[in-house]
Amino acid sequence: MRHYFPGILLLFLFPFFLFAEEPEVKRERIFTGEGLYGFMNGGAEQFLEYGVTRLVTRDLTYKDEEYTIDIYDMPTPEDAFGIYSLHIFKCTRADTDGCMDCLSPYQLQAVAGNNYISVVFPSGSEAAKSHVDELLRLYIPMDGKKNPRIPDILKLTPPYSGQLKFLRGPISVSGVSTSLSKLLENIPYTGIWFIADKPGKRYKALIYLKDKEVTGKLKAKLSEAAVIQAGNNFIYMKGEEAEKEENDQGDFGF
Amino acid sequence: MKRRNFFRSIAAGGITAALSPIVKAAAPTGVAKEKPETNIKEAIAIPRTPHSMPGKYPGKVVKANHPACIVDGKPSDIAAYEMLKSAMLRLTGQENLKEAWLQLVGPDDIIGLKVNPIAGKLLSTSHAVTRAIIRQLEEAGIRRDHLLIWDRREADLKESGFTAENYPDIPIMGTEYQDENGSYINAEGKFYGEERVDKKHYFYVDLEGEYDAYTLPYMINGGKYSYFTKICTEKITKIINVPVIKNAGTTITVCMKNLAFGSITNTARLHGPMWHDTCACACAFPPLRDKVVLNIADGLTGCFDGGPSANPQFICHYNTLVIGTDPVAVDRICYDIVINKRILEGLQEKEKDGARTFMDMAQELKLGVADKDKIELTEINLQA
């Protein structure tokens, strides 16, 4: 009898596994490439600058709460972090358990490998908030294994969310720093790690450049004091924000 | 290209509101640029009525604050009712709530509640405030079938929970609507929305609206005319405007925007350089000017960036209801709420020049008071 006991126990428990609560997906939509305009109008441009290839968005209920979960496929973990870093704002909880994530009153955003994920819970309720982490993990393994590598030269410690941004092109740069945007006019770069010191209106930027010649061109525009460290294809610099012109020009809307 | 892809996806998905399309207002620069000609003079030439904007209490605004109006993330029905009640009594100077409402509407009126559902469930006119309005109107003797909840798009209304199930016996209507198969086009090949558009009332702007096949259902028509909805011109006798307190770039989208862009067709061309003009001028036409009796700006949940769409990280609780018959004055007060929040959050350091242009234009058109020094603001701080 003892030999059969585990089997009997498993048989008894099987229905509980079978009927464990799963999300009920009410609607699923997929957008690829420029089709992303169909989801977010002009906001798509920012994602396309980072090379987004696909978005799967699901409206679902989970444990009697409503959620919308958007999973973006990006080319690299850095790109996933980059778009994530532009979208987070004052996280109530950031970078938990080795993951890169940001919780706010109505939303959990996260980076997992090449994916940027947003989970919105419109109710803002404590119940919805309490289930959002487990819901996310039903779709994405948040094991921190493929997190983007933060360059050692920046000398940063976690949490990175909120203190560091990764920028890929002129749209992301201009949204973050007018001063840097002007500096990089006609300078081909491949990526920028950006750290803002907002109260002091200063920043640091690790700029990866196309080649040695371009690096020289950028270095010539900078004072010696502005350059923290430079290599053949990168410059780590510090800068100051000029008076920022607020941009009121908008995209297409209703 | 952008617009085609946008509406192709919408047509496939059967919905209109997305979580994060970005809409911003264009502020004019300090130097006056040549603007396209409009027919605003025709509107000004039509005699005003006793009900014309700014309504019964020009320049008077009441702001009701409640520290506990949000319960577990949601606007509270009880708090919303109390906020609205206290604000209405103070606005009208009445001691009885029924009498307060009857200063503005009567049992014979067909009253349209112009809600703002475009940002989906997260950031639309709250049901707590909407239900409070309906309950107080019923208490004042107004029948449910004399009410109408409306906006431009029925799909947006439905998406945000303005349904027959949630509001039994109250008609819910949009200018643009689909049939049961999700089509915007009828058997004759025309948009259903064309039936609900009044071509006798229009805002003409010498600026061509050109749209592809995917976009057109949401504009109803292209060209240079923006027609008013029959909801305003024929169906309702009074309008209660219930916008949400939201930013639009460094300005706001509250009373004037909710009315103007929510009541006319062919609006995409009116963003950009004509945004401010449209907010002001469309409201100067009789379908809006002579029917809006009250503005209730819902700030229980609002936003300070990313508006008018719902970007969750910028959603906040202003914990306030701002009301007045004068939409310009209400907007002026709401503007300070949003800009102060943006400055507090570090999104801007000071007010941007030109951000209040539409309010100044509206004041010029005698639609209300934009000068803060001339606004009589009363704040009520309710207890939890």
Side-chain angles (χ1 to χ4, degrees):
Chain A
M1 182 60 184
R2 266 194 308 188
H3 297 299
Y4 296 114
F5 183 72
I8 292 168
L9 185 64
L10 203 63
L11 207 63
F12 177 71
L13 290 173
F14 182 71
F16 291 97
F17 290 118
L18 195 62
F19 296 110
E21 191 149 3
E22 290 216 348
E24 183 191 342
V25 179
K26 304 260 172 90
R27 179 173 60 180
E28 179 178 293
R29 289 169 288 162
I30 298 174
F31 300 87
T32 54
E34 285 197 345
L36 197 62
Y37 284 114
F39 185 64
M40 57 173 66
N41 267 341
E45 289 189 10
Q46 199 179 62
F47 282 82
L48 289 167
E49 185 174 77
Y50 282 94
V52 65
T53 53
R54 193 175 81 141
L55 160 67
V56 180
T57 175
R58 299 177 178 91
D59 299 328
L60 53 87
T61 53
Y62 179 65
K63 296 191 175 177
D64 298 322
E65 294 290 334
E66 288 184 17
Y67 300 87
T68 297
I69 178 164
D70 302 334
I71 302 173
Y72 296 84
D73 294 347
M74 310 300 293
T76 67
E78 285 72 27
D79 290 301
F81 178 81
I83 196 72
Y84 162 86
S85 67
L86 294 184
H87 282 78
I88 59 173
F89 184 79
K90 293 195 176 177
C91 312
T92 56
R93 187 200 78 195
D95 293 1
T96 48
D97 298 329
C99 302
M100 282 177 169
D101 61 8
C102 170
L103 182 66
S104 57
Y106 292 95
Q107 185 182 29
L108 174 66
Q109 297 177 79
V111 177
N114 291 9
N115 293 126
Y116 160 61
I117 309 106
S118 159
V119 190
V120 174
F121 36 101
S123 70
S125 70
E126 285 305 312
K129 196 180 291 187
S130 70
H131 301 314
V132 72
D133 288 290
E134 72 192 48
L135 172 63
L136 170 60
R137 282 155 178 80
L138 291 177
Y139 289 94
I140 300 278
M142 295 295 294
D143 51 19
K145 283 181 182 168
K146 292 179 185 172
N147 279 357
R149 197 180 144 271
I150 309 301
D152 296 333
I153 193 175
L154 299 177
K155 293 179 182 160
L156 292 179
T157 54
Y160 301 113
S161 298
Q163 67 166 323
L164 179 64
K165 293 188 194 320
F166 181 72
L167 316 172
R168 247 329 167 196
I171 295 172
S172 48
V173 173
S174 63
V176 156
S177 171
T178 313
S179 164
L180 183 61
S181 182
K182 283 185 180 153
L183 179 71
L184 293 177
E185 279 173 8
N186 302 314
I187 302 282
Y189 53 88
T190 57
I192 304 168
W193 292 97
F194 183 88
I195 305 162
D197 169 18
K198 269 199 169 177
K201 294 187 187 178
R202 288 188 284 268
Y203 65 85
K204 287 181 185 170
L206 173 60
I207 307 166
Y208 290 104
L209 297 143
K210 189 169 156 256
D211 54 37
K212 192 174 171 182
E213 187 186 335
V214 174
T215 305
K217 194 175 166 189
L218 177 59
K219 212 171 171 185
K221 291 171 104 179
L222 296 167
S223 69
E224 211 172 296
V227 177
I228 301 171
Q229 196 171 330
N232 281 340
N233 65 341
F234 77 90
I235 291 180
Y236 185 32
M237 60 159 286
K238 51 189 175 184
E240 277 188 28
E241 284 306 335
E243 186 70 23
K244 189 174 177 181
E245 271 295 306
E246 299 293 347
N247 181 13
D248 241 3
Q249 295 301 317
D251 301 310
F252 167 71
F254 294 104
Chain B
M1 176 62 173
K2 296 178 189 183
R3 296 172 187 177
R4 177 177 301 121
N5 283 338
F6 173 46
F7 288 106
R8 177 181 293 131
S9 297
I10 279 180
I15 56 95
T16 56
L19 272 177
S20 58
I22 298 168
V23 177
K24 296 179 191 173
T29 60
V31 177
K33 286 184 180 174
E34 201 178 311
K35 291 274 186 80
E37 193 186 307
T38 75
N39 67 331
I40 186 60
K41 286 180 183 168
E42 291 175 18
I44 294 167
I46 300 170
R48 296 165 62 83
T49 76
H51 303 296
S52 293
M53 283 182 197
K56 210 169 167 72
Y57 306 102
K60 191 172 179 183
V61 178
V62 179
K63 185 172 180 285
N65 307 314
H66 195 309
C69 62
I70 302 295
V71 175
D72 200 19
K74 280 188 185 163
S76 154
D77 277 38
I78 296 170
Y81 184 95
E82 288 306 314
M83 292 164 84
L84 184 60
K85 176 183 172 183
S86 60
M88 281 297 293
L89 293 174
R90 191 65 69 92
L91 178 70
T92 60
Q94 298 294 312
E95 290 182 358
N96 175 280
L97 187 59
K98 178 178 175 179
E99 291 307 318
W101 281 101
L102 293 178
Q103 297 290 306
L104 305 173
V105 295
D108 294 333
D109 280 314
I110 305 295
I111 303 162
L113 307 188
K114 172 61 182 76
V115 296
N116 186 281
I118 196 169
K121 283 182 183 169
L122 204 49
L123 194 60
S124 291
T125 304
S126 67
H127 296 291
V129 168
T130 308
R131 283 190 289 259
I133 296 168
I134 291 168
R135 191 173 142 204
Q136 291 183 14
L137 285 170
E138 286 187 286
E139 288 165 357
I142 310 296
R143 285 167 29 192
R144 284 177 88 83
D145 63 356
H146 275 224
L147 303 178
L148 175 73
I149 296 173
W150 69 281
D151 181 60
R152 270 183 75 177
R153 300 198 173 91
E154 281 194 5
D156 287 349
L157 288 162
K158 188 178 169 188
E159 185 82 15
S160 297
F162 292 99
T163 61
E165 187 184 8
N166 290 331
Y167 294 93
D169 304 319
I170 297 178
I172 296 168
M173 185 180 269
T175 308
E176 298 151 25
Y177 68 101
Q178 300 156 287
D179 60 25
E180 58 274 8
N181 299 316
S183 174
Y184 282 91
I185 297 171
N186 64 19
E188 284 88 51
K190 288 187 172 182
F191 295 123
Y192 287 109
E194 278 192 57
E195 304 163 355
R196 294 186 181 175
V197 156
D198 191 337
K199 292 192 175 177
K200 299 188 299 298
H201 298 268
Y202 54 84
F203 177 44
Y204 170 85
V205 180
D206 190 9
L207 187 64
E208 192 77 30
E210 296 177 8
Y211 311 108
D212 58 29
Y214 299 101
T215 310
L216 205 46
Y218 306 94
M219 298 295 120
I220 300 188
N221 61 277
K224 298 183 179 183
Y225 291 80
S226 289
Y227 300 109
F228 279 86
T229 174
K230 281 183 179 174
I231 297 172
C232 282
T233 63
E234 293 181 2
K235 215 147 178 59
I236 53 184
T237 61
K238 298 270 173 73
I239 296 171
I240 295 177
N241 184 22
V242 202
V244 180
I245 299 180
K246 299 189 282 189
N247 83 295
T250 54
T251 186
I252 59 166
T253 167
V254 189
C255 295
M256 305 294 288
K257 171 79 170 0
N258 192 44
L259 290 169
F261 282 80
S263 307
I264 58 178
T265 65
N266 189 14
T267 50
R269 70 193 176 115
L270 300 174
H271 284 74
M274 291 302 286
W275 189 91
H276 285 268
D277 298 73
T278 304
C279 285
C281 294
C283 292
F285 285 79
L288 293 175
R289 184 195 71 184
D290 299 341
K291 293 192 177 181
V292 176
V293 294
L294 183 63
N295 304 272
I296 301 169
D298 184 351
L300 275 65
T301 302
C303 73
F304 56 93
D305 199 27
S309 306
N311 282 279
Q313 63 271 42
F314 302 118
I315 287 174
C316 63
H317 299 299
Y318 294 117
N319 294 335
T320 194
L321 215 54
V322 184
I323 83 165
T325 64
D326 180 342
V328 186
V330 173
D331 269 358
R332 181 64 186 87
I333 299 303
C334 290
Y335 174 83
D336 281 353
I337 294 171
V338 173
I339 297 310
N340 288 342
K341 177 68 170 171
R342 287 176 61 80
I343 291 170
L344 189 70
E345 295 290 350
L347 292 170
Q348 61 187 88
E349 290 181 356
K350 58 181 181 177
E351 177 178 27
K352 161 114 178 134
D353 286 343
R356 286 187 277 116
T357 296
F358 72 92
M359 295 176 232
D360 295 333
M361 285 181 173
Q363 180 170 268
E364 287 292 311
L365 291 168
K366 298 184 172 34
L367 300 177
V369 179
D371 186 345
K372 183 105 179 271
D373 293 334
K374 295 180 180 162
I375 293 174
E376 180 195 331
L377 171 65
T378 305
E379 282 208 54
I380 307 170
N381 293 307
L382 296 163
Q383 302 297 315

